[in-house]
Amino acid sequence: METTLVEKIKNGWNHTFAEEIFGDEFIEDNFIITHEGTVAAGFYLELPEKLSMDDNQIEVFLSKMEDVLSRLPAGTSFHFQSQFYERENPIKKLTEKGFITKNLISYHGDKKLLYNRVVLYLAFNFKNPRRHNPISTPFSFFKYKSAHPLEDIDRFKSMARNHVQTFLFNCKEIPKFSIEQMNDEDLNMEKLKYFNVAFDKLPVGYTNELENKGESVQVGDKTVKFVYLRKTGNLLYSSTPNEQGLETFMAWPLSHYLHFPHVVNFSCIVADNETELKALDQAKRLRVSLTRLQNQDDILIANDIGQFTERVRSTGKRLCYMNHNIMVWNSDPQALSIHIDLVKSAYMKMNSSIGVTDAFKTGLYFHSNSPGHSLEAFNTNTIPLDEALCHFDFTRAYPGDGRGIIMNNSDGDPVLVDLWSGMDAFNRVIIAPTGGGKSFLMNDILSQEIEQGIEMVLIDVGGSYSNLLEIYKDRGAKYFEYTEDSPFSFNPFLLNKDPFGAYLLTDEKIMFLTTLITCIWKKVDEGAGLTVEEEAVLTNLLSRYYTKVNEEKLTPRLDSFVSFVEEFRDKNLNTPSFIAEAQFFKYDSFLLCFREYTVG
């Protein structure tokens, strides 16, 4: 006869699988339905890239996020989970290699990259919005409550669906932020990743047995522990300088600064302000009423409560119950111990906050941070929502382009960068003070691109790159140095040709030529430029000119283009269309300004 799970527990057995813990839980209609009748939705987030916002933009971002989350109904929990996991370095995929590239791969190739992805869960408790007692969670005793929690589940799903639609609509107000709701398959996959503690791959099932040891949770060969935020620092900041002195979110030490696999869990239950403030008022009155039994701590606590409630009432800020923790795991006990110490140090680095480990309730942390279970959060801090949001790093690391040259991202990880990805005009500028490393950086970029087979033509002023091109001359790199004693010129009117030998005047080349002509003709340093009408006429003249060049097999040049414009003016001087054009395009001014560039 098969022994039931409850009988196993009574006999002292504390091993199980995730399916047994959450046997009454199911996923349908894009929701996680728990055994207690709560309904949770999951979302994939696309966050701003690290260091892409200044302090003002960060403040606006957090303000918009606060506004969106404060509109959630009281009793709703939102759970941001930032998963940091390692993957193989993509620079090993480079096939074209030379001396520089080989050495970079040799130095960086075995270093795994720390990726991160952020998911969000909203958990709605329409049946019983009271705060949960963590001791009653199914993880602690592997048993379930009775009653009939699912009798109104269809109505609860409908209510949750309405809140989710409103939430997604409101999220459009948040800058540099995109969100997508998970479907049933996504939710199931997130549960598999979490309960297998395998965020770097797609698990096929619950392959690891779980063991709740109190001070840790054993998931297969991995020991899992939690460090939770016991006390936040006295001063909170929407933005703060990182180690490089660049402005970013206050919680930056908890992200890639911890350069090993970990999960940052930041969850809040939206409070009913009126109910919570009444409870705080009562707690204050209790402290004050102690009279002779009152000690100094009671006086200080009563004063703190009074100041807190007064501030909340005067500002109208929404309160929440915040839980913050970091999950770490390792199969090596010594490495795990080191990582826990680093997490505690990172909490201190985040505005002197205090992080501690729990010796008894690790299983409850593991349960309450699983997908859809943030309503079970405990060890919470009552805090205004805007202050709570300071405790999460709403950015993502630059993951690279998967192709290009080897460079380091802002977290020091080597990535492949395509310098021309997503650019309409292929121009770059490097700016730094004298001795700042401009030439060094360019030598690195150029050497890697040459080694990857990119055709290189370099025009140099000052001879900074002569040695580099001497090294790579056997790879076809061309080098021209400009000096006052040996100046040289080039023809910007030369274009690529089609298979029949005709010059191809593309939109990009028209833009380049009109920009060049504008710089010669107009006082661009004083803000002058082409009008819309002048640009239209000039584009038409260029098109007519290249038609003539292709028909007569000419070599296009600036002087011949100016001659063409003069001939066109003289030939069409008395035509109605030319007279109409001449109101907007000053031919005499154009020809006069170009005389010194084409004559003599």
Side-chain angles (χ1 to χ4, degrees), residues 249 414 509 598:
F249 288 86
K509 196 63 180 180
T598 57

Side-chain angles (χ1 to χ4, degrees), residues 582-595:
Q583 298 179 49
F584 304 103
F585 191 89
K586 306 302 180 183
Y587 282 87
D588 292 340
S589 169
F590 175 84
L591 295 171
L592 182 62
C593 289
F594 277 87
R595 182 179 299 278

Side-chain angles (χ1 to χ4, degrees), residues 81 151 170 189 202 206 208 221 225 235 263 301 355 376 385 393 398 402 463 468 493 523 543 580 593 598:
Q81 186 175 84
E151 57 187 354
N170 292 336
M189 190 57 62
L202 302 178
Y206 295 105
N208 292 311
D221 64 341
K225 288 198 171 188
L235 298 177
V263 170
I301 292 172
E376 309 288 351
L385 180 55
D393 185 355
Y398 174 64
L468 174 70
F493 277 73
K523 294 182 178 180
S543 179
C593 289
T598 57

Side-chain angles (χ1 to χ4, degrees), residues 82-87 111-116 199 225 227 253-264 326-330 334-347 411 413:
S82 192
Q83 305 163 355
F84 294 85
Y85 55 94
E86 292 180 331
R87 278 189 176 173
K111 180 181 180 181
K112 290 187 176 182
L113 296 190
L114 190 68
Y115 287 78
N116 94 289
F199 301 100
K225 288 198 171 188
V227 181
L254 308 182
S255 56
H256 279 79
Y257 177 76
L258 296 172
H259 213 281
F260 50 82
H262 64 285
V263 170
V264 178
I326 296 179
M327 182 174 87
V328 291
W329 61 92
N330 208 297
Q334 185 176 0
L336 181 60
S337 178
I338 293 173
H339 290 170
I340 288 174
D341 289 340
L342 290 173
V343 170
K344 292 178 180 179
S345 175
Y347 266 125
D411 296 301
D413 283 337

Side-chain angles (χ1 to χ4, degrees), residues 326-387:
I326 296 179
M327 182 174 87
V328 291
W329 61 92
N330 208 297
S331 55
D332 179 0
Q334 185 176 0
L336 181 60
S337 178
I338 293 173
H339 290 170
I340 288 174
D341 289 340
L342 290 173
V343 170
K344 292 178 180 179
S345 175
Y347 266 125
M348 283 294 296
K349 205 171 187 67
M350 184 187 74
N351 80 318
S352 300
S353 296
I354 298 175
V356 298
T357 54
D358 197 302
F360 305 103
K361 301 189 288 294
T362 304
L364 301 183
Y365 277 105
F366 190 67
H367 160 76
S368 61
N369 289 292
S370 64
H373 284 268
S374 53
L375 284 167
E376 309 288 351
F378 59 103
N379 277 349
T380 60
N381 296 295
T382 303
I383 186 173
L385 180 55
D386 62 328
E387 296 181 9

Side-chain angles (χ1 to χ4, degrees), residues 431-487:
I431 301 174
T434 301
K438 298 184 296 296
S439 297
F440 184 87
L441 174 60
M442 279 304 306
N443 271 292
D444 180 42
I445 293 173
L446 295 175
S447 61
Q448 289 194 59
E449 291 192 330
I450 293 172
E451 290 178 358
Q452 292 184 24
I454 295 175
E455 185 178 352
M456 188 69 63
V457 178
L458 185 65
I459 301 172
D460 190 8
V461 179
S464 299
Y465 307 100
S466 56
N467 291 335
L468 174 70
L469 272 294
E470 180 67 24
I471 295 172
Y472 290 110
K473 63 182 180 181
D474 60 330
R475 289 179 176 256
K478 299 179 178 62
Y479 177 79
F480 303 94
E481 184 177 357
Y482 178 91
T483 66
E484 291 184 2
D485 296 331
S486 58

Side-chain angles (χ1 to χ4, degrees), residues 269-316:
I269 300 174
V270 180
D272 182 299
N273 269 33
E274 184 177 354
T275 302
E276 183 60 31
L277 289 173
K278 285 181 178 178
L280 290 171
D281 290 339
Q282 185 177 359
K284 177 186 174 182
R285 287 193 296 270
L286 179 62
R287 296 280 179 176
V288 173
S289 66
L290 293 176
T291 59
R292 286 185 302 173
L293 298 177
Q294 191 180 42
N295 56 33
Q296 192 173 23
D297 286 341
D298 293 319
I299 297 173
L300 292 174
I301 292 172
N303 289 335
D304 287 344
I305 294 175
Q307 293 174 7
F308 178 77
T309 55
E310 181 182 357
R311 178 161 58 90
V312 172
R313 287 188 169 104
S314 63
T315 60

